[in-house]
Amino acid sequence: MARSIYTKLTGRYRSLAGFTQLWLAPDHLMLLQSSRFSEQYKRFAFSDIQSIVVTELPPRTVARSAIILAALAWMGLWFALEARWAKWAIELSGVLALLIPIADIARGPRCRCVLHTRVSREPLEPVSRIRIARKCLAEIRPRIEAVQGVLPPTLEPFPQAPSVTETPPPETPSPPGYLPEIVFGLFLANALMIWALMRFPQMTDLSGVLVNTIFAEMLLIVVAFLRRKGRDPRVIVYAVMALGILGIAYGFYELARELSGWYMTVLEKARNNDRSITPLTIFASGDRAQWMTVAWRAAAGVIGLGAAFYERRSKWPR
Amino acid sequence: MPANAIACAVCSSPVAAENWNREEASRCPGCGRDVRALVFPALRHDRSGESPAALEGESEASCYYHPQNRAARVCEDCGRFLCQLCDLDVDGRHLCPRCFDKTEVLETSRPMYDTMALALATFPALLFWPAFLGAPWALTMVIRRWNAPSSLVPRTKIRFILAALFAVAEIGFGIFVIYMFTSVSLKGPRR
């Protein structure tokens, strides 16, 4: 094997498609991009490197916490299971899931690193942690300065871009997605389905669909609020959705009450040795509370769609 | 490259010159994240080159490629006169474009035959029957590409060795299976 001029500078930054890695040669830096069956090489001569910029990224606290909580909840199934093998399988998979955020925390703060030359701007993916960035810069900097010298503190004015380019172009507001509209559409569809169940209680299959669509409502509202920040300045739409959350919470309470009633009926039948099937029907009693559920959903759907249409027209006129 | 091209790696907001090459990170005015910018003298170098001078009299030597331009250098490989436009500085040597084309071009990609051979030896075997095609193919690749240039960075031959071992084992197993089938079918069922 011929001796290579390269020494390893970073570990591999893996992705589904392959990996990238930084290597150091006597006179240049090489970014290796592997797609498993072939390798691409990008070389950056020390004499050409103009700058290396490292920006720290925020910690993934929410994702980490979610994984830790989910893993702990998963491991809590230990107390619910009887079979020993199942208990250990649950614990092992839970520990493996816990290792993901632990490893993420242990690797330290994340960062993004970009290398500039006169003709290119290359993101250095392997430099994904502040610790790695410090080590890399400590290694590269003296070599670049040995070739180029040290940049003196600004003795003469740097060439500035023409003033025309300094003023940023006017922002063209891009309209947001249609997720709120989809939520309001779902409100209307669910109102219709609940009304249908109250009117025709024999449509038991609709109950199964409703459980999923009501859960989808909640999920879509959460996603809509998460995606809103900095993208969607509409106010009325989100106010209606916030009110909708209250209605959905009340709906969940009603749902839980009906499910527990169904469960108690099944238990009672089992005690009496009654083997007949008890169909699960929700929203079929037709009492005032359910009329309220239909009413608020229909109102929220109509008001929300109208507000979405109005606010979209006023903020992003065609 | 203008100074304001030194930009945050996340939001591309310019990093102020007073925040360059500082030991501690500064705050990005755009996204508010901590930014550290190492800037080198190459930022100041103007490498756009000089424009070629026009030929003024018949006594002046002209460029081989541009007869209207005054010659400024001689190609160190072929000896042709070159104007400022055609003079290419390659690691301190001055070459004309044609001689530059003949110089060794740096490789930008290489196929990894060892990984291919290992994949051919393993993945088809997961579905059993494709291994009858994959194993000989893998072994052929190991033999044909053993001396082919591998990665530019240090890399052992372990993938080739593993691919050869797997392929030989699969071929051996395949021969055994075929032998068992044929021997059973020739002898007929035991009574």
Side-chain angles (χ1 to χ4, degrees):
Chain A
M1 192 174 69
R3 272 183 69 85
S4 172
I5 58 166
Y6 293 101
T7 51
K8 193 160 54 175
L9 191 62
T10 66
R12 291 177 174 185
Y13 180 82
R14 294 172 197 277
S15 64
L16 279 178
F19 66 88
T20 56
Q21 194 173 21
L22 266 182
W23 291 79
L24 197 63
D27 62 345
H28 67 269
L29 196 66
M30 185 179 74
L31 181 67
L32 185 156
Q33 293 172 323
S34 169
S35 57
R36 308 281 179 208
F37 299 124
S38 71
E39 287 182 351
Q40 279 77 43
Y41 309 110
K42 287 183 179 172
R43 298 174 182 82
F44 304 97
F46 290 145
S47 56
D48 292 336
I49 296 173
Q50 293 188 326
S51 69
I52 298 172
V53 180
V54 179
T55 304
E56 191 171 335
L57 296 178
R60 291 182 279 210
T61 317
V62 176
R64 279 178 194 162
S65 311
I67 294 173
I68 290 171
L69 289 176
L72 290 176
W74 177 251
M75 289 167 82
L77 288 175
W78 170 279
F79 302 105
L81 292 168
E82 292 291 326
R84 178 176 267 199
W85 67 268
K87 284 185 174 196
W88 284 108
I90 292 282
E91 292 308 296
L92 190 68
S93 51
V95 167
L96 286 177
L98 267 182
L99 284 180
I100 298 168
I102 291 171
D104 190 40
I105 294 165
R107 292 180 69 202
R110 299 180 305 133
C111 71
R112 188 173 294 165
C113 181
V114 175
L115 182 148
H116 293 267
T117 68
R118 187 176 171 77
V119 292
S120 67
R121 177 187 185 276
E122 188 67 39
L124 301 180
E125 285 172 336
V127 186
S128 59
R129 302 280 166 169
I130 289 287
R131 189 166 49 85
I132 301 172
R134 282 207 189 100
K135 184 174 156 265
C136 275
L137 294 182
E139 191 88 36
I140 304 168
R141 191 177 183 176
R143 291 167 197 258
I144 298 174
E145 286 178 348
V147 175
Q148 296 189 22
V150 181
L151 186 79
T154 42
L155 297 172
E156 61 203 60
F158 260 85
Q160 292 288 330
S163 57
V164 181
T165 55
E166 273 179 14
T167 51
E171 280 191 23
T172 48
S174 55
Y178 287 88
L179 195 54
E181 282 89 336
I182 292 170
V183 172
F184 297 130
L186 200 56
F187 277 164
L188 285 177
N190 283 347
L192 194 68
M193 278 196 280
I194 296 169
W195 174 80
L197 260 176
M198 286 159 58
R199 186 83 177 77
F200 311 103
Q202 67 275 19
M203 295 170 72
T204 49
D205 289 349
L206 214 53
S207 299
V209 177
L210 254 176
V211 171
N212 290 303
T213 49
I214 289 174
F215 182 70
E217 268 178 4
M218 195 67 209
L219 199 70
L220 287 178
I221 288 178
V222 172
V223 174
F225 272 100
L226 287 177
R227 283 170 56 91
R228 185 197 174 203
K229 196 180 173 189
R231 291 187 190 183
D232 195 347
R234 290 180 289 180
V235 179
I236 305 171
V237 171
Y238 286 93
V240 174
M241 269 201 278
L243 288 174
I245 291 174
L246 294 177
I248 291 172
Y250 177 70
F252 274 126
Y253 165 71
E254 285 289 314
L255 198 64
R257 214 164 53 94
E258 288 192 30
L259 282 174
S260 65
W262 172 81
Y263 182 67
M264 294 309 289
T265 313
V266 171
L267 270 186
E268 194 58 37
K269 276 186 172 180
R271 277 201 199 105
N272 298 332
N273 212 12
D274 180 357
R275 298 190 171 207
S276 62
I277 296 169
T278 313
L280 172 63
T281 49
I282 55 169
F283 298 116
S285 59
D287 60 8
R288 181 185 279 189
Q290 283 169 18
W291 275 113
M292 282 289 290
T293 311
V294 174
W296 82 253
R297 273 201 168 79
V302 171
I303 295 169
L305 279 177
F309 178 74
Y310 168 74
E311 288 191 298
R312 190 177 282 274
R313 281 276 302 264
S314 59
K315 287 191 166 61
W316 300 279
R318 293 197 172 182
Chain B
M1 183 169 163
N4 59 6
I6 305 298
C8 169
V10 172
C11 69
S12 300
S13 299
V15 179
E18 60 266 22
N19 291 329
W20 296 353
N21 295 334
R22 279 169 46 172
E23 283 306 312
E24 70 280 14
S26 61
R27 199 150 290 264
C28 169
C31 59
R33 295 182 175 128
D34 284 349
V35 185
R36 197 171 165 216
L38 282 188
V39 184
F40 301 102
L43 186 72
R44 290 185 168 188
H45 294 167
D46 182 12
R47 300 175 72 175
S48 53
E50 296 169 36
S51 47
L55 202 63
E56 285 181 352
E58 285 187 6
S59 58
E60 286 184 322
S62 67
C63 170
Y64 178 82
Y65 299 100
H66 302 98
Q68 72 280 12
N69 292 346
R70 187 194 295 166
R73 282 200 181 266
V74 176
C75 173
E76 291 179 24
D77 199 18
C78 64
R80 286 176 178 139
F81 287 167
L82 308 172
C83 64
Q84 300 273 19
L85 202 63
C86 302
D87 172 27
L88 299 174
D89 186 350
V90 184
D91 293 333
R93 290 178 73 210
H94 292 271
L95 300 177
C96 70
R98 199 167 286 175
C99 293
F100 175 75
D101 282 344
K102 284 188 281 182
T103 55
E104 194 183 346
V105 178
L106 289 170
E107 279 181 284
T108 55
S109 71
R110 272 189 188 179
M112 295 292 108
Y113 294 114
D114 53 354
T115 313
M116 288 183 208
L118 190 58
L120 277 172
T122 50
F123 290 133
L126 297 175
L127 300 169
F128 190 71
W129 291 113
F132 285 90
L133 186 69
W137 194 354
L139 198 60
T140 312
M141 190 172 275
V142 171
I143 294 165
R144 281 193 63 194
R145 305 290 184 182
W146 182 265
N147 287 323
S150 181
S151 176
L152 277 181
V153 299
R155 189 176 173 103
T156 62
K157 298 262 188 199
I158 187 71
R159 290 172 190 80
F160 267 144
I161 294 166
L162 284 176
L165 288 175
F166 282 134
V168 168
E170 285 164 26
I171 290 169
F173 182 71
I175 291 169
F176 174 72
V177 168
I178 291 167
Y179 169 74
M180 290 300 288
F181 269 119
T182 48
S183 62
V184 167
S185 59
L186 284 176
K187 283 179 190 167
R190 269 188 197 169
R191 289 169 193 264

